[in-house]
DNA sequence: TAAAACTGTCACATCGCTGTAACAAAGCTA
DNA sequence: TAGCTTTGTTACAGCGATGTGACAGTTTTA
């Protein structure tokens, strides 16, 4: 069983990371690891995890500060964060939740507790995001089975086009520049020509066919937009 | 891919400048360099960079002092600054952020981290989407989806006419000369005939149609004005 | 391991936008 | 009203932005 969700584990003790990793794997999650904030930040930009498990006490930047920074940036503010705090640091919990974290767990904790907290936060945080199927004018994108259909007929679509369409359908009626699309759909640290976006837009339109390609609209001089209203 | 943004690198070690320069180039940024505050200040006045990467420890004027000076001057206070601090100087971070810097990065840092931080700060500094939609007498301009509608009906409009209309709607009831409009809508350093404004005014009026063209009023001998009051 | 699918880039085609000139119309002044 | 200035309007050539097909390199699948 795989949930398809990716969790980032940030802790400087490899033993703890290992323990968490096993628990996550058992529960069907993918995971990536980081031992400090710097690596963590890179991974976040690159991989866009669905959740972050963040140790409160880290060498260098503190968890508090790191949380604040992530919550300040549009690209990362949506990602839920669970703080891992040691026993004596009860006071910090409030600080942590104030800074934007979604939950906290006190060490030591059982793998079972971790997973159930994590599920709860994911359930709360992504009711609309990756879980629910989206349907617009007969165009249906179902994230659970990772499939797109247009009026019941299956749409053959590549991975990038899928992510692009998913982003558009979850962010309708809004113009995005090519750079924004690259950041959001490709991931922050990929150096790719801007015009590449055009090509994938083209492929997406082609895949959608004449019945739906009007939903992907060009905003000349700016970028692209997903909209049900005719321009 | 080019972002069009220019970054000023201020560091006395040419090796570090070089490293940063390569990273910026990869990410599609233009850059200029300076090895001390004096040169840096000249470059800033000359080039008006979109961001400054400033080494905390500089010969002569300290980064702190330089930051303060830039943030005091109206001409430069808007330019975001990222401080580059060495590892042992953790205490200075607070000082640095207090002085008006927008973020800091601890050396040593990876090019990747630098670029993603930089993007984050630029995104924050140039808010593209937080502008509210404006509605006047059924004429609606929505910056987030980059669209103009007149009584629900979509208005087909070119990029320049869009910017012109946006400027007018955010600066109503006031006459602007052609030169002022060129500065505000076209951008400061473009050499364009003044009469070009007339043509775009004409195009804008035409696009708005008889229902709204009265909002764009000619002020003879001066220029144009956006007003709901009949002249 | 071969075939198929996917990705990013380029070159070329195409389309729409832009600025300018030229002329028409409207205001102003003497 | 004539002669001037200012603005409206149109047409058009040039150019930049976008659409599109092809291709090579890579990854995934069978």
């Amino acid at each position: 069983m795989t949930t398809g969700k990716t969790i980032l584990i940030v802790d400087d003790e490899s033993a703890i990371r290992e323990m968490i990793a096993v628990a996550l794997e058992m529960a069907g999650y993918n995971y990536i690891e980081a031992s400090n904030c710097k690596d963590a930040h890179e991974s976040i930009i690159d991989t866009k995890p669905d959740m972050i498990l963040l140790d409160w006490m880290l060498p260098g930047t503190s968890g508090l500060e790191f949380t604040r920074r992530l919550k300040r940036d549009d690209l990362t503010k949506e990602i839920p964060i669970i703080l891992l705090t040691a026993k004596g640091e009860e006071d910090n919990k409030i600080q942590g939740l104030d800074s934007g974290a979604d939950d906290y767990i006190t060490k030591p904790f059982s793998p079972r507790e971790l997973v159930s907290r994590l599920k709860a936060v994911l359930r709360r945080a992504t009711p609309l995001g990756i879980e629910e199927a989206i349907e617009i004018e007969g165009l249906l994108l179902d994230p659970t089975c990772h499939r797109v259909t247009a009026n019941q007929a299956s749409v053959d679509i590549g991975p990038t086009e899928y992510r692009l369409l998913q982003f558009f359908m979850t962010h309708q009626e809004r113009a995005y520049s090519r750079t924004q699309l690259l950041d959001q759909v490709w991931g922050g640290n990929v150096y790719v020509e801007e015009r590449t976006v055009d090509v994938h837009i083209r492929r997406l339109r082609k895949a959608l066919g004449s019945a739906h390609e009007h939903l992907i609209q060009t905003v000349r001089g700016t970028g692209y937009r997903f909209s049900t209203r005719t321009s």
Side-chain angles (χ1 to χ4, degrees), chain A residues 95-114:
Chain A
Q95 250 194 323
L97 293 177
D98 276 352
S99 71
D102 295 80
D103 202 354
Y104 58 86
I105 301 182
T106 308
K107 294 183 189 177
F109 49 82
S110 71
R112 173 170 295 180
E113 182 189 5
L114 175 74

Side-chain angles (χ1 to χ4, degrees), chain A residues 34-51:
Chain A
S35 63
N36 59 65
C37 288
K38 263 166 80 171
D39 292 352
H41 194 256
E42 284 184 17
S43 295
I44 292 165
I45 300 294
D46 276 352
T47 322
K48 288 239 188 150
D50 298 288
M51 155 159 306

Side-chain angles (χ1 to χ4, degrees), chain A residues 1-230:
Chain A
M1 178 191 66
T2 304
T3 62
K5 309 264 188 185
T6 301
I7 315 294
L8 171 64
I9 310 165
V10 189
D11 200 307
D12 54 327
E13 291 177 64
S14 68
I16 294 191
R17 288 205 307 275
E18 178 68 16
M19 188 271 273
I20 297 176
V22 170
L24 291 182
E25 196 150 47
M26 296 269 289
Y29 294 95
N30 304 319
Y31 64 88
I32 44 181
E33 303 181 32
S35 63
N36 59 65
C37 288
K38 263 166 80 171
D39 292 352
H41 194 256
E42 284 184 17
S43 295
I44 292 165
I45 300 294
D46 276 352
T47 322
K48 288 239 188 150
D50 298 288
M51 155 159 306
I52 300 168
L53 296 176
L54 177 63
D55 187 18
W56 181 259
M57 294 298 283
L58 281 173
T61 313
S62 80
L64 169 68
E65 206 178 309
F66 190 53
T67 304
R68 282 217 181 108
R69 182 181 308 152
L70 291 176
K71 290 299 179 183
R72 225 170 33 209
D73 187 349
D74 283 338
L75 264 184
T76 54
K77 73 198 314 181
E78 302 293 336
I79 305 174
I81 298 176
I82 294 183
L83 292 176
L84 311 176
T85 68
K87 188 148 190 194
E89 308 166 10
E90 305 277 319
D91 300 339
N92 293 333
K93 287 177 183 176
I94 295 113
Q95 250 194 323
L97 293 177
D98 276 352
S99 71
D102 295 80
D103 202 354
Y104 58 86
I105 301 182
T106 308
K107 294 183 189 177
F109 49 82
S110 71
R112 173 170 295 180
E113 182 189 5
L114 175 74
V115 171
S116 65
R117 288 283 190 92
L118 188 145
K119 277 186 182 171
V121 170
L122 276 181
R123 209 163 31 235
R124 210 183 318 143
T126 50
L128 183 132
I130 325 228
E131 205 60 49
E132 296 283 312
I134 317 166
E135 190 271 328
I136 287 149
E137 294 187 4
L139 182 66
L140 178 73
L141 183 140
D142 188 342
T144 55
C145 61
H146 211 270
R147 172 170 286 173
V148 180
T149 52
N151 303 321
Q152 331 307 336
S154 181
V155 176
D156 191 24
I157 199 176
T160 305
E161 282 74 35
Y162 179 88
R163 289 200 310 278
L164 187 57
L165 180 60
Q166 183 175 41
F167 176 76
F168 271 137
M169 291 184 83
T170 51
H171 298 82
Q172 302 179 35
E173 302 297 341
R174 180 175 166 153
Y176 290 94
S177 70
R178 292 173 174 72
T179 304
Q180 286 176 315
L181 289 172
L182 284 175
D183 282 347
Q184 298 279 349
V185 178
W186 273 254
N189 281 313
V190 200
Y191 302 128
V192 172
E193 284 297 320
E194 283 205 337
R195 292 299 309 280
T196 297
V197 174
D198 297 33
V199 178
H200 283 275
I201 289 279
R202 153 74 177 148
R203 286 168 181 156
L204 179 55
R205 281 172 173 160
K206 204 172 188 177
L208 292 183
S210 57
H212 294 100
E213 65 180 356
H214 67 274
L215 294 169
I216 313 287
Q217 301 172 354
T218 301
V219 185
R220 194 162 252 268
T222 301
Y224 297 95
R225 168 180 58 203
F226 186 98
S227 170
T228 55
R229 300 162 55 189
T230 55

